[in-house]
């Protein structure tokens, strides 16, 4: 975990993968994050593989996400807020754009959403959410790609565009911030990330 900051009781590295896990005996009380400390991200392409699986002692469930252009809200508790490329076991939210500790859901899976300077949302369909969800391999490794360029934010899973946000709301949008991985409150879960590659883009 060199170069990362997080609760080391929850995060570890094994077989080349970053692992975040919770148990029924020690549930977390708030969403917590593993924060990349080597710099901030602005315009970039992030590619990685992830796998979300339930904890062994729990019924299937779990939720995670990839934070980017985010702000550290509580350094001691490893809490951040900002844009999130969502991940969940039920495949309800995987691929959406969710603003943690902010405006909430910005774009559902299958939507391209333009947010005006006043915060009004104009959503256009780019696909059927259920059909797109079938592109995601539940409990298996999947490829996530995030492309952030200016106010355009695109989330791809397994090379398929899942959601897009064009964010013109200048008082709420973020042009740069930290990168972090999430463990969500709720049932025990294991989230793994591997082959993380970041390419900075210059406009």
């Amino acid at each position: 975990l060199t170069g990362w900051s997080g609760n080391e009781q929850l995060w570890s590295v094994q077989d080349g993968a970053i692992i975040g896990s919770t148990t029924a005996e020690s549930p977390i009380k708030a969403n917590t994050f593993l924060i990349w400390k080597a710099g901030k991200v602005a315009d970039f392409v992030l590619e990685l593989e992830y796998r979300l699986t339930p904890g062994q002692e729990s019924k299937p469930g779990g939720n995670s996400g990839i934070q980017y252009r985010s702000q550290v809200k509580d350094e001691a508790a490893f809490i951040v807020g900002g844009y999130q490329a969502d991940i969940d076991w039920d495949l309800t939210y995987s691929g959406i754009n969710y603003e943690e500790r902010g405006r909430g859901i910005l774009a559902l899976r299958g939507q391209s959403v333009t947010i005006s300077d006043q915060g009004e949302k104009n959503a256009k369909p780019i696909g059927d959410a259920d059909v797109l969800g079938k592109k995601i391999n539940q409990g298996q490794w999947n490829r996530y790609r995030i492309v952030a360029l200016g106010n355009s934010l695109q989330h791809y899973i397994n090379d398929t565009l899942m959601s897009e946000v064009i964010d013109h709301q200048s008082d709420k949008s973020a042009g740069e911030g930290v990168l972090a991985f999430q463990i969500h409150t709720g049932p025990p879960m294991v989230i793994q990330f591997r082959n993380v590659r970041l390419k900075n883009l210059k406009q």
Side-chain angles (χ1 to χ4, degrees):
L1 296 175
T2 300
W4 297 83
S5 177
N7 184 341
E8 295 190 8
Q9 293 181 335
L10 303 175
W11 296 97
S12 62
V13 175
Q14 185 176 348
D15 298 327
I18 294 173
I19 302 172
S21 60
T22 58
T23 64
E25 293 77 19
S26 300
I28 60 173
K29 297 179 180 179
N31 298 346
T32 187
F33 299 82
L34 182 69
I35 305 167
W36 187 54
K37 304 298 288 185
K40 294 184 177 181
V41 295
D43 292 337
F44 66 91
V45 177
L46 176 71
E47 296 182 346
L48 55 77
E49 294 173 281
Y50 77 89
R51 180 168 64 185
L52 176 66
T53 53
Q56 293 181 352
E57 63 278 88
S58 172
K59 63 181 181 180
N63 186 298
S64 181
I66 304 160
Q67 296 287 145
Y68 61 95
R69 291 187 181 177
S70 294
Q71 309 304 314
V72 178
K73 301 294 187 180
D74 186 330
E75 191 166 358
F78 311 108
I79 294 174
V80 307
Y83 298 125
Q84 181 188 117
D86 216 324
I87 298 167
D88 74 315
W89 171 259
D90 296 326
L91 304 182
T92 302
Y93 303 110
S94 293
I96 77 168
N97 192 317
Y98 179 81
E99 189 175 57
E100 180 85 4
R101 293 179 173 263
R103 291 169 288 176
I105 294 175
L106 301 182
L108 295 169
R109 189 169 62 235
Q111 287 185 335
S112 173
V113 176
T114 299
I115 305 174
S116 74
D117 189 55
Q118 291 76 37
E120 298 170 345
K121 297 179 183 178
N122 180 20
K124 296 180 180 180
I126 56 173
D128 180 88
D130 292 335
V131 173
L132 291 172
K134 295 183 187 302
K135 302 282 188 180
I136 305 170
N137 304 312
Q138 190 180 50
Q140 304 299 318
W141 287 104
N142 293 277
R143 297 183 305 279
Y144 224 128
R145 182 166 84 251
I146 302 168
V147 181
L149 185 60
N151 57 14
S152 174
L153 313 168
Q154 296 177 319
H155 297 173
Y156 296 81
I157 299 179
N158 296 329
D159 302 317
T160 300
L161 180 62
M162 297 287 166
S163 68
E164 179 181 54
V165 169
I166 299 94
D167 193 354
H168 295 290
Q169 193 175 4
S170 57
D171 62 331
K172 301 286 187 180
S173 62
E176 70 168 17
V178 300
L179 174 69
F181 298 144
Q182 183 195 62
I183 298 176
H184 202 284
T185 58
M189 53 163 273
V190 178
I191 181 67
Q192 297 171 277
F193 300 99
R194 70 182 185 186
N195 296 328
V196 182
R197 300 178 299 278
L198 176 67
K199 180 179 182 180
N200 290 312
L201 303 175
K202 294 183 179 180
Q203 296 196 64

